[in-house]
Amino acid sequence: MNSKENSNWKKKLHEIIYEADTPAGKLFDVILLLLILISVLVVMLESVEHLQAIYGTYFQIIEWVITILFTIEYILRVSTVKSPLKYIFSTYGLIDLAATLPKYLGLFIGNTEALLVLRSLRLLRVFTILKLARYIGASNDLLKAIKASRAKIGVFVFAVVVLSIVLGTIMYLIEGNADSGFTSIPRSIYWIVVTMTTVGYGDIAPVTALGQFFAAIVMIMGYGIIAVPTGIVSSEYTNFKNHKINTQVCNNCNESNHGDNAKYCHQCGERL
Amino acid sequence: MNSKENSNWKKKLHEIIYEADTPAGKLFDVILLLLILISVLVVMLESVEHLQAIYGTYFQIIEWVITILFTIEYILRVSTVKSPLKYIFSTYGLIDLAATLPKYLGLFIGNTEALLVLRSLRLLRVFTILKLARYIGASNDLLKAIKASRAKIGVFVFAVVVLSIVLGTIMYLIEGNADSGFTSIPRSIYWIVVTMTTVGYGDIAPVTALGQFFAAIVMIMGYGIIAVPTGIVSSEYTNFKNHKINTQVCNNCNESNHGDNAKYCHQCGERL
Amino acid sequence: MNSKENSNWKKKLHEIIYEADTPAGKLFDVILLLLILISVLVVMLESVEHLQAIYGTYFQIIEWVITILFTIEYILRVSTVKSPLKYIFSTYGLIDLAATLPKYLGLFIGNTEALLVLRSLRLLRVFTILKLARYIGASNDLLKAIKASRAKIGVFVFAVVVLSIVLGTIMYLIEGNADSGFTSIPRSIYWIVVTMTTVGYGDIAPVTALGQFFAAIVMIMGYGIIAVPTGIVSSEYTNFKNHKINTQVCNNCNESNHGDNAKYCHQCGERL
Amino acid sequence: MNSKENSNWKKKLHEIIYEADTPAGKLFDVILLLLILISVLVVMLESVEHLQAIYGTYFQIIEWVITILFTIEYILRVSTVKSPLKYIFSTYGLIDLAATLPKYLGLFIGNTEALLVLRSLRLLRVFTILKLARYIGASNDLLKAIKASRAKIGVFVFAVVVLSIVLGTIMYLIEGNADSGFTSIPRSIYWIVVTMTTVGYGDIAPVTALGQFFAAIVMIMGYGIIAVPTGIVSSEYTNFKNHKINTQVCNNCNESNHGDNAKYCHQCGERL
């Protein structure tokens, strides 16, 4: 096999693995997707005790088959890409490695105690599913709207955290002595978060009249607060869409990227 | 009865059953609606043990009367429609059949074990109520807005599912050994969904400090995430309405379907 | 006292009771507001057993004083208004009567059994607080936006009810035999409503794997559905505000009620 | 040290403490932020019993160090500011004092009973974290949108409170005799708030058929009501952003503050 042939093979493999334009590339992506889904499913089912007891051996076989297939995929990815180091240290590269390595490490660190720790590492394979993000693509508008409101939601989340600490401390003072689960400030803060986000487990709940009154205020407050992030995303998204809806095209120069209220073309001055 | 008379009868019945323009057609729809509501109510009440013990016989009688009336309606629908096969295999045709058939099957499959399975099939009659959708009609705008945002909500729901699996696995690692219900990854994922959607049953709740800290983060995250679908629908609906509000009509050619920022009629070039 | 003087008195009293322009009218409204708040508070505190045991007599005295004052107010309202019958049978008139009558009826129907039924009637006095709606007033924009979206939210709520019945029936089939509270279809529907609205008490919660899987789907569905009413109100309100923001005034005829995209005044044809 | 030198020192300290333009000022702010975070963390951890038992002494030392540093900061703030009284009685001034004073008072009021009350005062130090608000700043748009909708949300919250009292009273009448926690009207109102805000602890839950039916109605109502505040904030924010997006600048006089639909500059009449 001469060097040119080798280079041709590399190019073809790169096309199959990294692109989805050719039938072979599409097939590769579908098979990979199925393998990832099966691997996630097996990890999930293994954690169910009575299933593990019956089908444990089958799970082991499936895991090894998938691990070997993922290893082959990883080697092919590294060998066909132009800059292997860039791939290895990219997010996807590290996730791909984390999906295969733990299983091999399990062979050398042999006792059960260590395997339990290993198992937790192995579960990182679930992250491999994030590869699916590649198959979405069409939702760029949505992602842009979320990105645009990221900073504002960040400020909002920070304010909620500060508010939770203040309110949690007050609640600890009110219900701390009653036998209702408010045993420490961190637990009270946990309760405030559970309440303000309207989750409401009920594992901790106020029992005193004052505590219930204060809880009701916190809830109505949370009711108003929940409106803020929704308002932000909703508004950003509306603005984003409005800009896209603008379909003004200059009759003179065909420029189409005009502001919403533009009366004259910003390229040639023609009346729009 | 000659063929022409027969055809006349068929036409009249078709008008009564499929249309609601004539007084007879309206009466037919109202009676059908009442029968559907009664049948749903009876199925519901039959499942309440102490009511079944007292009124069981009456429920049986009502069910048989309604089943026979539904059967007559089904036969009339099939016989008066132009293309009976098209109706039979339409969604409504299959639902109409599923609302009557199980009751008759119950006569031939006689023992109690089988009746229990049959009962579950009979409950499909509840779907008959979906016929009510015909009486809404006026909410087209709303349905269009939901349809327009369907794809984006789909992508969003998918992202939430992936996130739930990842977070559920992490939570299983944190709380798996504590006696707090996180006995397997699927159960942990169930808990993540219960928490992120802010339902919060409390049947499974974290007990360790780390678990409660992680839970608080998941909740605040869910708080931010809940904003996304609302933002999407809200925005689509606003855009949809804005387009409708546009009431520009060309003075020259009476064309009214103009873009929001159109300055000149796109049909005749007249200044709007 | 001649007829003219009497008429003057009536006019002045009408001004005080029905209007809030004069200092006396304002004072009357504030005192009435306070009395209503106290009466609601007393009804609330009376239902707390240990407070009733200690302060029962004081509660009785306060109630009688307020009842008599409310009776005087009712008589004055009837006697000063132009068309007393119209007032008596208006919503406010009936509420005002319901706030005083039960207390007097309690004198004639003397035994405890009857008093218990009476007590429930007396609680209707809480509705008197709805008079407070008069003091809001400034929130007309908000009320109009809610009214505008009332029909659409109605259709939405109806769809949610139908969906709840269908999903509740399915859940009853899945979890009916397990010992998890899904004892009848109505209870299952109750659970669906508790889940879909993200309330999640946890008094009924699925225990089987299939039930939990189905519950997770219902929750994610509810997650998407909750976006719809918010989107409707948000959009209606935005449209409503946008129309108000439009500040175009015709230079020629000072007409200001123009559509958002109007280029020429619809009254005189002047370029806006 | 002459008076001029003294004044120079004061000016420099004022720059460091009150401004963040110089490197020293930035460093001061970062250190202060860290101290506040540590002090909040220590207060939180002290309330956890088993941590207090082990690390109690270390917590005491850290608290004293921070208290002394905060005292120095407070003295410097008072002495370098132009009008000390204005600072002392400002919100920040009072919070700064409340963060240091309780610890010193603890020395004089020595017994445990009093310390418990003192502890509650000491917790006010958590409010010091609100100083963090200074570091946000960039979120002015968001704050303005919230402020603009404050009045409307106020009216909404008031309506929710009135509705809660009315519905709570009805629920007390329905479930009051059943053994399900609805022991008084205030508790029933607490339950209504827990339900309408979709928190749903499950500590109180209806058990009768009528109670569950009524609860389902309350939930679906809450479902619709939750749309209102979101709609308000969303709409205000959209309007606010739309006004900012308007980038029309008059070609003649460079005036840029035009209404959304303005066709001619409101300053010089030039066609925009």
Side-chain angles (χ1 to χ4, degrees), chain A residues 152 185 191 195 198 200 235 271, chain D residues 47 198-201 237 260 271:
Chain A
K152 266 152 208 146
I185 296 178
W191 175 84
T195 299
T198 75
S235 159
R271 188 74 177 84
Chain D
S47 75
T198 75
V199 171
Y201 289 129
Y237 194 61
D260 267 29
R271 188 74 179 83

Side-chain angles (χ1 to χ4, degrees), chain A residues 2-69:
Chain A
N2 61 26
S3 167
K4 202 185 163 187
E5 230 171 58
N6 191 358
S7 166
N8 254 348
W9 262 102
K10 228 173 149 176
K11 212 175 159 186
K12 265 189 190 166
L13 269 169
H14 186 274
E15 224 174 83
I16 291 167
I17 296 169
Y18 285 96
E19 287 160 46
D21 301 335
T22 56
K26 274 179 195 168
L27 188 71
F28 177 83
D29 281 355
V30 169
I31 289 168
L32 184 60
L33 186 59
L34 279 174
L35 284 179
I36 291 166
L37 285 176
I38 291 166
S39 93
V40 170
L41 205 73
V42 167
V43 167
M44 273 168 59
L45 296 179
E46 268 183 309
S47 75
V48 184
E49 234 167 83
H50 67 96
L51 289 179
Q52 173 67 14
I54 308 169
Y55 305 107
T57 338
Y58 300 103
F59 289 154
Q60 276 301 94
I61 294 164
I62 296 167
E63 281 223 5
W64 272 112
V65 170
I66 289 170
T67 305
I68 289 159
L69 288 171

Side-chain angles (χ1 to χ4, degrees), chain A residues 44 47 120 123 126-127 132 187 190 194 196-201 222 225-226 230 234 237 241-242 260 271, chain B residues 152 158 165-166 169 173 185-186 191 195 198-202 212 219 223 227 230 234-236 239 261 263 271:
Chain A
M44 273 168 59
S47 75
S120 74
L123 287 163
V126 173
F127 284 104
L132 293 172
R187 272 182 78 89
Y190 163 73
V194 168
M196 285 237 298
T197 54
T198 75
V199 172
Y201 289 128
I225 289 169
I226 213 167
T230 315
S234 181
Y237 194 61
K241 293 275 291 192
N242 281 345
D260 267 27
R271 188 74 177 84
Chain B
K152 265 153 207 142
F158 181 80
I165 292 171
V166 173
T169 308
L173 292 176
I185 296 178
W191 175 84
T195 300
T198 76
V199 172
Y201 288 129
Q212 291 185 341
M219 282 169 221
Y223 212 63
T230 315
S234 181
S235 158
E236 291 290 342
N239 282 331
N261 288 359
K263 295 284 169 301
R271 188 76 178 83

Side-chain angles (χ1 to χ4, degrees), chain A residues 152-153 155-156 158-159 162-163 165-167 169-170 172-173 177 183-187 189 191 194-208 211-213 215-217 219-236 238-239 242-243 259-264 271, chain D residues 40 43-45 47-49 116 119-121 123-124 126-127 129-130 132-133 136 139 141-142 146 153 156-157 160-161 164 186-187 190 193-204 221-223 225-227 229-231 233-235 237-238 241-242 245-248 251 259-263 271-272:
Chain A
K152 266 152 208 146
I153 286 183
V155 169
F156 170 75
F158 180 80
V162 171
L163 198 65
I165 292 171
V166 173
L167 293 175
T169 308
I170 295 170
Y172 172 70
L173 292 176
N177 292 321
T183 52
S184 69
I185 296 178
R187 272 182 78 89
I189 292 168
W191 175 84
V194 168
T195 299
M196 285 237 298
T197 54
T198 75
V199 172
Y201 289 128
D203 52 347
I204 309 169
V207 291
T208 66
Q212 291 184 340
F213 180 72
I217 290 168
M219 282 169 221
I220 291 176
M221 242 169 71
Y223 211 64
I225 289 169
I226 213 167
V228 177
T230 315
I232 295 166
V233 173
S234 181
S235 159
E236 291 290 341
T238 304
N239 283 331
N242 281 345
H243 275 272
D260 267 27
N261 289 357
K263 296 285 170 300
Y264 294 92
R271 188 74 177 84
Chain D
V40 170
V43 167
M44 272 168 60
L45 296 178
S47 75
V48 184
E49 235 165 84
L116 225 123
R119 190 179 252 170
S120 73
L121 279 167
L123 288 163
L124 285 165
V126 174
F127 284 104
I129 209 170
L130 288 173
L132 293 172
I136 303 175
S139 65
D141 297 15
L142 182 60
I146 295 168
I153 286 182
F156 170 75
V157 165
V160 167
V161 168
S164 300
R187 272 182 78 88
Y190 163 73
V193 173
V194 167
T195 300
M196 285 237 298
T197 55
T198 75
V199 171
Y201 289 129
D203 52 347
I204 309 169
M221 241 169 71
Y223 212 65
I225 288 168
I226 214 167
T230 316
V233 173
S234 180
S235 158
Y237 194 61
T238 304
K241 293 276 291 193
N242 280 345
I245 283 164
N246 188 335
T247 54
Q248 284 181 307
N251 297 318
D260 267 29
N261 289 356
K263 297 285 170 297
R271 188 74 179 83
L272 290 174

Side-chain angles (χ1 to χ4, degrees), chain C residues 71-92:
Chain C
T71 311
I72 294 166
E73 184 220 341
Y74 185 75
I75 291 163
L76 287 175
R77 276 188 193 275
V78 170
S79 57
T80 60
V81 86
K82 273 183 184 170
S83 48
L85 280 174
K86 207 178 158 188
Y87 164 72
I88 289 166
F89 293 105
S90 70
T91 315
Y92 278 126

